[in-house]
Amino acid sequence: MCGTIDGKGNRRPRPPRRAVQTAGDTAPQRGAAKENDDDRTDTHPPGTLRGSGQLADPVSGPADDRPGGGGADPGRGRDGQYRLRYAGVDEAFCVRVYGERRRERLLETGGHIAIYGHFIPAGTRLLTPELAGQVTYDSNFYGVERGLEPMGNVHYAPSNLSQTPAWLLARRPRVAALTCSLPDENGWMSRSLWGTALSRKVLEQCELVLAEVNPRMPNIPSDGEAHTRIHVSEVDGIIESSRPLVETPIAAGNETDSRIAGYIADLVPDGACIQLGLGGLANTVGECLAHAGKRDLGVHTEILSTGVMELMRRGVVNNSRKQTCPGRSVYANMVGGPELWAFAHENPAFCQKEIDWVNDARNIARNDHVVSINNAMEIDLTGQVNAESIGPRQYSGTGGQLEWVVGSQWSKGGKSILALRSSYRDKAGVLHSKIVPQLAPGSVVTTPRTCVQYVVTEFGVADLKYKSTVERARALIAIAHPDFRRELERQMPL
């Protein structure tokens, strides 16, 4: 029996799923494909697809068009649904479900596929120049995407990270694919790692939901409001895989990061609830917090990485003073490697929640003494922050920065910290300041000056909250690289 889950984890009945049907096709048969050889070894974040035109059904299609013919025995899952066996499925966006024949058919028929998601896997076969007229891809956060944008069919969709479910719902995708942990004895799977990129609301709207089940995916605890569990009866097909997961190497900070992290650690009191991002600076901040002897820290963060694991192991993070989910590190997405995944697997000290719950500023503020720590690319002398573009060129995304800047300051005793190196060198070796009189033309304002509180560089801390434009400029110049301070003083706002 199909069903959905309420906020308490209870099941309620719902009508059976409709089979996906693209324009020009008859209703598809549920079927299976013979295993094919594919040298891809990555498991990536999930995504959604929306098909149109004369493209055959992405799961089965006509029997004579399925890779390897139609003779493979599909088997059945716990709920009686067919268990599809595609060894070569590119799980994030159903790329391997289509296979090479699907790619050829797409070119032949002139059909169209719209893909929505973020962190597209490198080498995705649907995103090649020859398919630029048949495939479009919209992302609300760029990684590999920025290298694909010149093809002309890859576009950025501005949104806060908590708006990802609402954005996907607005696009009305028909097919969703995600990777899950193995089901437990009751048929429940963890959406794990990047599973919150596809929220329950999106999965319930889609006509077809495919789950790749991978024993390497950690089964991460999640319960209560905005939990991330999914039952085998809620998916239309299960694809088995044991391919290695994508690892994110631990980024090492440098001397500059250590100096910045030292200033940040001084701003974090015992008992604070912290939010850390990714990269060398975030890892270095974690090391500084441990070295400084901080105690009873809590974690509520959109992305959890190896640095938090080390703080938990050392007892620096125990979540004992949190108001929401006490005793547990709350997060939406997890980035790291096998050591972190093994640590998180069935560990009751973790609780994964939907991204629109984790990054809701109102939920952030429910914990006292929240300290959010985020990166910036440049800041002007009035306090406007760009954290996502190089001039008009989209580099990353808005992410959750603004949500954490606001939510942390709404928290009782909370603080918002934006960190950046004071300068950088271009390809020619020329030194440039990241604290500038005005943002470069076309630059995106990720965080408006009205919301900025603490700004930290390797030269110190500037508190901009409730300061005048002149006071802000002076505070920022004081933490700028010494080589640029005089010139910045000449360009101070009146």
Side-chain angles (χ1 to χ4, degrees):
M1 180 178 181
C2 292
T4 58
I5 299 129
D6 62 23
K8 297 180 180 179
N10 299 317
R11 176 166 298 283
R12 61 177 183 269
R14 75 171 180 195
R17 288 191 176 279
R18 293 171 291 164
V20 65
Q21 183 175 354
T22 52
D25 290 329
T26 59
Q29 306 169 28
R30 295 287 169 88
K34 181 179 178 181
E35 292 191 358
N36 57 60
D37 293 326
D38 188 284
D39 58 0
R40 294 198 56 78
T41 58
D42 298 337
T43 292
H44 296 274
T48 59
L49 290 159
R50 190 172 189 177
S52 63
Q54 300 298 314
L55 187 63
D57 170 58
V59 177
S60 57
D64 60 355
D65 191 55
R66 297 197 296 268
D73 180 10
R76 290 179 182 267
R78 293 176 183 270
D79 58 343
Q81 299 286 359
Y82 282 112
R83 187 177 300 275
L84 309 176
R85 301 184 185 277
Y86 280 80
V89 173
D90 198 335
E91 59 286 348
F93 302 98
C94 294
V95 174
R96 294 200 305 274
V97 172
Y98 284 89
E100 206 56 41
R101 293 191 183 184
R102 288 285 179 260
R103 184 167 166 272
E104 295 172 0
R105 184 175 176 82
L106 185 60
L107 284 170
E108 293 170 0
T109 61
H112 181 263
I113 297 174
I115 308 175
Y116 309 105
H118 48 227
F119 296 114
I120 191 83
T124 297
R125 289 177 294 177
L126 284 181
L127 289 176
T128 58
E130 63 180 323
L131 288 177
Q134 282 71 46
V135 179
T136 57
Y137 172 62
D138 290 358
S139 172
N140 66 344
F141 202 98
Y142 272 14
V144 172
E145 289 88 344
R146 56 180 170 263
L148 299 173
E149 195 172 41
M151 290 194 302
N153 62 330
V154 176
H155 311 291
Y156 179 69
S159 69
N160 294 309
L161 202 60
S162 72
Q163 295 174 307
T164 300
W167 164 56
L168 292 176
L169 283 170
R171 307 307 297 182
R172 301 193 63 80
R174 299 174 62 191
V175 180
L178 70 162
T179 306
C180 300
S181 70
L182 291 175
D184 63 19
E185 63 276 10
N186 296 312
W188 290 97
M189 301 179 288
S190 167
R191 282 190 268 143
S192 197
L193 302 186
W194 286 90
T196 64
L198 284 178
S199 74
R200 172 164 297 285
K201 296 174 184 176
V202 176
L203 296 175
E204 289 176 354
Q205 174 186 276
C206 290
E207 298 173 16
L208 181 71
V209 176
L210 299 176
E212 180 181 67
V213 173
N214 191 322
R216 299 174 188 261
M217 291 285 276
N219 184 355
I220 300 171
S222 180
D223 51 67
E225 182 183 8
H227 70 88
T228 59
R229 312 293 282 176
I230 185 170
H231 197 264
V232 293
S233 63
E234 297 181 290
V235 301
D236 299 286
I238 294 177
I239 304 163
E240 293 179 319
S241 172
S242 59
R243 63 186 60 252
L245 310 180
V246 170
E247 298 181 33
T248 302
I250 299 174
N254 58 22
E255 182 180 350
T256 300
D257 291 330
S258 295
R259 293 173 64 182
I260 295 172
Y263 287 117
I264 292 174
D266 289 341
L267 293 171
V268 179
D270 288 344
C273 181
I274 60 173
Q275 173 258 327
L276 290 170
L278 292 174
L281 177 59
N283 293 331
T284 307
V285 168
E287 294 171 4
C288 284
L289 292 173
H291 182 74
K294 301 294 180 178
R295 297 179 299 176
D296 298 335
L297 298 184
V299 170
H300 181 115
T301 187
E302 67 183 45
I303 298 178
L304 190 144
S305 63
T306 306
V308 172
M309 175 185 70
E310 294 299 334
L311 291 174
M312 294 173 71
R313 282 177 168 172
R314 297 184 190 186
V316 177
V317 167
N318 59 25
N319 297 291
S320 61
R321 302 195 199 178
K322 288 175 63 180
Q323 282 67 48
T324 62
C325 298
R328 307 176 79 181
S329 292
V330 173
Y331 79 99
N333 301 306
M334 182 175 287
V335 174
E339 186 179 7
L340 174 60
W341 304 332
F343 181 74
H345 179 68
E346 297 184 348
N347 187 337
F350 287 98
C351 185
Q352 186 181 33
K353 297 282 191 180
E354 297 279 16
I355 187 62
D356 53 357
W357 189 93
V358 171
N359 275 29
D360 187 321
R362 294 164 295 185
N363 291 331
I364 294 169
R366 288 166 62 185
N367 285 306
D368 295 342
H369 304 291
V370 173
V371 179
S372 66
I373 304 162
N374 290 282
N375 295 325
M377 296 179 70
E378 64 177 351
I379 183 171
D380 73 14
L381 289 179
T382 71
Q384 295 186 117
V385 173
N386 168 24
E388 60 186 282
S389 74
I390 300 174
R393 178 172 168 255
Q394 192 69 37
Y395 184 80
S396 55
T398 301
Q401 181 173 123
L402 183 58
E403 298 165 329
W404 285 96
V405 166
V406 172
S408 59
Q409 293 182 69
W410 283 355
S411 164
K412 179 181 178 181
K415 300 173 183 176
S416 163
I417 300 171
L418 296 173
L420 72 164
R421 297 173 183 176
S422 66
S423 61
Y424 72 97
R425 291 189 182 275
D426 61 22
K427 293 180 179 179
V430 178
L431 191 69
H432 299 270
S433 178
K434 288 192 170 186
I435 297 176
V436 294
Q438 298 91 30
L439 297 180
S443 294
V444 173
V445 177
T446 307
T447 299
R449 60 186 183 176
T450 50
C451 297
V452 176
Q453 188 179 17
Y454 292 102
V455 179
V456 179
T457 73
E458 69 271 28
F459 295 106
V461 180
D463 182 0
L464 305 189
K465 194 168 186 177
Y466 302 136
K467 298 291 185 9
S468 70
T469 53
V470 171
E471 290 172 322
R472 285 165 172 252
R474 288 173 179 161
L476 289 168
I477 291 170
I479 63 170
H481 191 285
D483 290 359
F484 300 101
R485 291 177 186 174
R486 184 168 296 179
E487 179 60 28
L488 289 170
E489 287 173 352
R490 285 198 288 265
Q491 300 190 55
M492 278 181 56
L494 297 177

